[in-house]
């Protein structure tokens, strides 16, 4: 069975909410007004890419952030294994894993210095323990790894050892808060 090929495309500037075009089709000028403390929009140079975000894009995070989401509690972990026992135990890289975001909590945030494609390629040749060893962290089976460059986050499901599977969808806003909110009485 051939390994599936995964692509990790960047979003296009014309689809961004901060992208503006002024003028006719021939003499069109492009601007970016996504800078938070800047009043004037920045004009694109001729040398900037036509569709992909340039290096100076205000939304871009450099280096990309890596977040690891672990199970919120033992009940969440048990529920996950019960729902996905057939897919997870088969260890197929093409298995569809259904993930419920509310069962996860942010466990670790580091800067690996890798894009999503570089991270995926690295996991094909070396174990996850080697990638995260310099941070003193261990990524467990069933956890979610997010690589966020500010433009589009990519999520990977950890199947243990070398195996990670890109997730089709994961809503970070539904993840449980990482620390319990202290009550006002204490």
């Amino acid at each position: 069975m051939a390994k599936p090929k995964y692509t990790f495309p960047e979003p296009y500037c014309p689809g961004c909410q901060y992208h503006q075009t002024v003028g006719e089709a021939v003499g069109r000028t492009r601007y970016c007004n996504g800078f938070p403390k800047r009043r004037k929009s920045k004009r694109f140079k001729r040398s900037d890419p036509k569709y992909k975000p340039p290096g100076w894009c205000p939304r871009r995070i450099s280096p990309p952030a890596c977040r690891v989401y672990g199970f919120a509690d033992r009940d969440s972990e048990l529920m996950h294994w019960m729902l996905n026992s057939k897919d997870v135990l088969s260890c197929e890289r093409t298995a569809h894993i259904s993930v419920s975001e509310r069962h996860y909590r942010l466990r670790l945030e580091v800067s690996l210095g890798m894009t999503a494609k570089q991270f995926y390629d690295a996991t094909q040749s070396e174990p996850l323990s080697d990638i995260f060893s310099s941070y003193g962290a261990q990524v467990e089976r069933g956890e979610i790894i997010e690589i966020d460059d500010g433009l589009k986050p990519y999520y990977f499901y950890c199947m243990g050892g070398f195996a990670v599977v890109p997730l089709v969808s994961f809503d970070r806003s539904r993840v449980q808060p990482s620390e319990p909110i202290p009550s006002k009485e204490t």
Side-chain angles (χ1 to χ4, degrees):
M1 185 171 150
K3 283 201 305 191
K5 284 225 168 216
Y6 294 105
T7 59
F8 303 97
E10 282 189 351
Y12 292 112
C13 271
C16 179
Q17 62 183 351
Y18 301 115
H19 185 263
Q20 295 177 332
T21 54
V22 178
E24 299 295 324
V26 176
R28 189 180 328 205
T29 306
R30 299 184 316 143
Y31 294 94
C32 178
N33 65 356
F35 295 92
K37 295 183 180 181
R38 194 176 197 178
R39 289 187 186 183
K40 293 176 73 176
S41 299
K42 183 170 181 171
R43 184 178 183 174
F44 282 80
K45 298 177 183 176
R46 286 186 183 207
S47 60
D48 288 333
K50 296 289 182 198
Y51 297 105
K52 295 198 178 209
W56 52 262
C57 178
R59 292 178 50 206
R60 188 180 299 271
I61 299 172
S62 182
C66 175
R67 297 178 189 95
V68 178
Y69 298 95
F71 292 109
D73 52 22
R74 289 293 293 168
D75 293 338
S76 297
E77 185 175 4
L78 181 61
M79 181 65 73
H80 173 76
W81 294 122
M82 287 172 55
L83 290 173
N84 293 304
S85 62
K86 183 177 159 187
D87 294 331
V88 173
L89 292 177
S90 66
C91 286
E92 293 180 18
R93 292 181 185 258
T94 59
H96 173 71
I97 306 295
S98 63
V99 176
S100 178
E101 294 89 351
R102 69 175 189 269
H103 291 295
Y104 287 92
R105 173 176 288 152
L106 179 64
R107 187 175 69 81
L108 174 70
E109 185 168 357
V110 296
S111 176
L112 292 178
M114 295 185 211
T115 63
K117 181 170 178 32
Q118 291 169 340
F119 174 75
Y120 183 73
D121 292 342
T123 60
Q124 302 304 306
S125 60
E126 61 182 297
L128 286 171
S129 59
D130 290 351
I131 296 171
F132 287 96
S133 65
S134 61
Y135 301 102
Q138 184 70 23
V139 180
E140 301 295 326
R141 189 177 188 145
E143 293 186 331
I144 306 297
I145 302 167
E146 173 190 12
I147 304 292
D148 185 14
D149 63 355
L151 302 172
K152 180 176 181 357
Y154 287 98
Y155 299 96
F156 300 91
Y157 180 85
C158 177
M159 296 184 89
F162 284 88
V164 294
V165 176
L167 287 175
V168 176
S169 67
F170 187 82
D171 187 6
R172 181 173 49 190
S173 66
R174 297 185 65 205
V175 171
Q176 292 188 13
S178 58
E179 298 174 354
I181 301 170
S183 64
K184 293 183 181 180
E185 298 172 324
T186 58

